[in-house]
Amino acid sequence: MEGVREKKPRRSHYKTRTGCVECKKRKIKCDEKMPSCRKCEGRGTPCSFSQRVPFRDINACSTPASQKPEEPIFPTSIIETSQSATFTTLDLELLYSWVTTSGPITLREKPSGVQTIYLTLVEIALQHPFLMHEILSLSALYLAQTKPDSATMYNLASTAHHDQALSLFQPVLATLSRSNSSACFAFSILLIVHMCATQATSVRNVSFSSQTHQDSEPIHISWIKIHRGNRAIHAAIFPWLEDGALAEFKPFQEMLKISVFEPLPVLEQQHLDAVAKTWNHSSYPPSTNQTLNEAFKELQSIFSLTHTIPNSMKHVAALAWFSLVPEDFVRLVESRVPEAMLILATYAVILKRIEHIWWCKGTGEVLLDVAMNGLGAADEGRWGEYLRWPIEEVFGKRQELERQPGSGSRFGV
C-alpha cells in the first residue's frame, strides 16, 4: 500500500542469559562489561555486576580513604594470588552455610563455642585460595542436596569452584612446605569428600565409574589414584602437621594402628574366609598372590576396625583402605583380575554402611556395580556365590538375583 513502509525483518541476534539484572528487567541486551555494563553507566544507575566485590578491592572498600588500615582484613597472599577472583552473593551464602551447617555436618562435628576443625579450615583457607574454593564447592554440593529446587544452581557453583581449586592446587604440589602443609592436608581430605559426594548428585563426575563399557578393556577408576596421591602427599607433609593447626588429626592416624579388634559377625567372617581362598590354588605368580593377600589383610582389618571404633569415626577407617593397599593391587583392579574385583566388591559393603553420611550416599552401590562389571568377562557362574553376600548387603535381598555378573547394570557417566 502506498505511503506505508514495509517493516524490515529483525536482524538475527544471540540472547545472553548472563547479563546484569537491570538490563534483564528492561529487556535490553547487556554488553556484560565489568564492573558495570555500558547501559547502566549511560543511565547512571547501579549495575548488579558492581555488587561482586573483587578480592583485591575488599580491603579498600572496608577502610575509609582518610584512614590507613593497620592490618588488611584478608591476608595479602589471597589478594595477590586471586586478583581475578570475586565474591558473589552466592559465594557468601556458601561460606555462611559452611560455618553454620554444612561444615559441621560434613566433618561430623557438633557446632560449639570451642574452635573446631570446620572453622579451622576456614582460617587456613583465608591464606590459601585453593582450599577456600574447595570449601565453597562442598558447601554448594550440600545445599544442592538439601535444596533440590535450586540444585542446578548449586551444582554449577560447585563444579566451578572445584575446577578452580584443582587449578590453583596443582602448582602448590611442587612447593610443599611447612607453611602450606596444613592447607594441602586439608585439601586432600576434602578432595576425597568431594569425590564421594558427587556420586549422589548429577554433577559431572568420573571418579567411581569404570570409564569403559568394553569387557576386554582395562578399568580406570580415578578415585583409587586420588587415594594413592593423597598417601604420597601425607607422607611428605605429615611431620609438619604435628605442631600445626591440624595437629588434632594425629589421633586418626593412630586409630588405624589398633591391633585388638572385636570379632566379626559369623556371616561376615564366613564370606571373608571364602574370598581369601579363591586365589590359594591359582596359577598366578607368587607376587600377585602376595599382593592379593596384603590387600585382603588390610580389608579384613578395616572390617574389624569398623566394629571396634565409635560410630563417629567409622567413615575415617572406611575411606582409609585404598591408602593402605599395595600399589600393585591398583594394577590388578585395572586389569580386571577376578579375585581383585571380588575384594573390591566386598569393600563396597563397608561403604554401604556409612551411607548415612550425606557425602557417602550411593558410593557402595556404585563401587559394587564397577566390580561386577569387571567380573563380567569371566565365567559368570563361577563368582556368583562370592557375590551373593555383598549384593544382599548393598542392594538388598530382593535384587540379589538380578544383580549377577554380566547383567549389564552400569554406572557409566
Side-chain angles (χ1 to χ4, degrees):
M1 184 181 296
E2 189 177 351
V4 179
R5 294 183 181 179
E6 294 185 3
K7 291 185 177 180
K8 294 182 179 180
R10 289 187 64 184
R11 187 173 52 184
S12 61
H13 65 284
Y14 294 98
K15 290 186 177 180
T16 175
R17 301 186 184 275
T18 55
C20 74
V21 174
E22 290 72 20
C23 287
K24 287 182 179 180
K25 287 181 179 179
R26 297 176 59 209
K27 297 182 179 181
I28 59 176
K29 182 175 176 58
C30 179
D31 62 11
E32 301 179 46
K33 178 177 174 288
M34 297 285 187
S36 178
C37 75
R38 289 189 178 89
K39 296 291 174 61
C40 288
E41 282 183 351
R43 289 175 57 87
T45 58
C47 181
S48 63
F49 288 152
S50 63
Q51 296 175 15
R52 301 183 179 184
V53 184
F55 274 109
R56 62 180 178 273
D57 294 333
I58 288 177
N59 293 324
C61 294
S62 305
T63 308
S66 59
Q67 297 180 11
K68 183 178 180 181
E70 296 180 1
E71 186 174 316
I73 296 175
F74 289 97
T76 307
S77 58
I78 284 187
I79 302 169
E80 294 176 348
T81 306
S82 306
Q83 289 191 357
S84 60
T86 60
F87 269 139
T88 66
T89 303
L90 177 58
D91 294 335
L92 297 178
E93 178 190 354
L94 299 180
L95 186 58
Y96 177 77
S97 171
W98 178 266
V99 300
T100 58
T101 310
S102 58
I105 290 178
T106 298
L107 298 181
R108 310 283 290 158
E109 296 184 292
K110 294 181 179 179
S112 64
V114 181
Q115 179 76 319
T116 46
I117 294 175
Y118 70 95
L119 293 177
T120 302
L121 295 190
V122 174
E123 289 187 354
I124 298 172
L126 291 176
Q127 301 200 38
H128 300 278
F130 62 86
L131 181 58
M132 180 63 79
H133 280 291
E134 191 57 39
I135 286 174
L136 297 180
S137 177
L138 280 177
S139 185
L141 281 180
Y142 174 79
L143 291 175
Q145 286 199 21
T146 56
K147 297 182 178 181
D149 291 344
S150 302
T152 299
M153 176 185 70
Y154 289 125
N155 282 331
L156 288 173
S158 175
T159 299
H161 280 295
H162 183 63
D163 289 347
Q164 182 70 3
L166 291 175
S167 175
L168 294 173
F169 181 63
Q170 193 64 35
V172 175
L173 287 173
T175 58
L176 293 176
S177 65
R178 183 181 297 274
S179 62
N180 62 24
S181 59
S182 292
C184 292
F185 179 77
F187 183 83
S188 68
I189 299 299
L190 295 187
L191 190 60
I192 296 295
V193 174
H194 184 279
M195 175 192 65
C196 294
T198 51
Q199 296 307 304
T201 70
S202 59
V203 176
R204 164 178 53 82
N205 181 63
V206 293
S207 299
F208 278 62
S209 56
S210 117
Q211 297 176 18
T212 174
H213 294 280
Q214 300 297 323
D215 290 339
S216 60
E217 295 179 6
I219 285 180
H220 301 289
I221 308 178
S222 15
W223 74 302
I224 301 179
K225 296 185 177 181
I226 291 175
H227 273 279
R228 310 300 293 176
N230 278 357
R231 183 177 180 178
I233 293 173
H234 296 173
I237 66 179
F238 201 69
W240 293 322
L241 295 178
E242 295 185 1
D243 56 353
L246 297 179
E248 53 194 301
F249 272 97
K250 185 71 173 178
F252 298 162
Q253 299 290 325
E254 298 297 329
M255 175 191 66
L256 299 177
K257 300 177 182 178
I258 295 176
S259 57
V260 179
F261 304 112
E262 294 289 331
L264 296 178
V266 175
L267 285 178
E268 196 166 295
Q269 188 63 62
Q270 287 177 350
H271 173 75
L272 291 174
D273 291 342
V275 171
K277 294 176 182 177
T278 58
W279 58 84
N280 284 350
H281 304 290
S282 68
S283 58
Y284 297 135
S287 59
T288 298
N289 286 338
Q290 181 180 351
T291 298
L292 292 170
N293 283 327
E294 291 178 9
F296 179 80
K297 180 181 177 181
E298 296 292 354
L299 179 60
Q300 186 158 15
S301 296
I302 295 297
F303 265 100
S304 299
L305 191 59
T306 57
H307 287 286
T308 304
I309 61 178
N311 288 334
S312 59
M313 290 289 99
K314 287 183 179 180
H315 64 290
V316 179
L319 296 173
W321 181 62
F322 263 126
S323 298
L324 301 173
V325 296
E327 189 70 40
D328 286 341
F329 179 73
V330 178
R331 286 188 275 273
L332 296 182
V333 169
E334 292 179 332
S335 301
R336 297 174 178 262
V337 172
E339 292 81 358
M341 306 311 291
L342 284 180
I343 294 176
L344 205 63
T346 303
Y347 173 63
V349 174
I350 291 181
L351 295 181
K352 177 66 176 181
R353 291 176 179 175
I354 59 173
E355 72 168 4
H356 58 281
I357 302 173
W358 76 269
W359 47 270
C360 293
K361 184 180 176 70
T363 56
E365 287 90 339
V366 172
L367 186 61
L368 182 53
D369 251 342
V370 170
M372 291 171 63
N373 289 332
L375 287 167
D379 296 334
E380 297 181 2
R382 177 182 177 186
W383 308 110
E385 62 179 298
Y386 302 104
L387 288 169
R388 188 172 295 111
W389 182 73
I391 291 174
E392 288 181 356
E393 291 290 310
V394 175
F395 293 119
K397 292 186 178 181
R398 290 183 179 180
Q399 298 189 48
E400 185 257 329
L401 293 177
E402 302 174 5
R403 296 274 186 167
Q404 294 299 325
S407 63
S409 173
R410 292 185 183 272
F411 275 74
V413 176

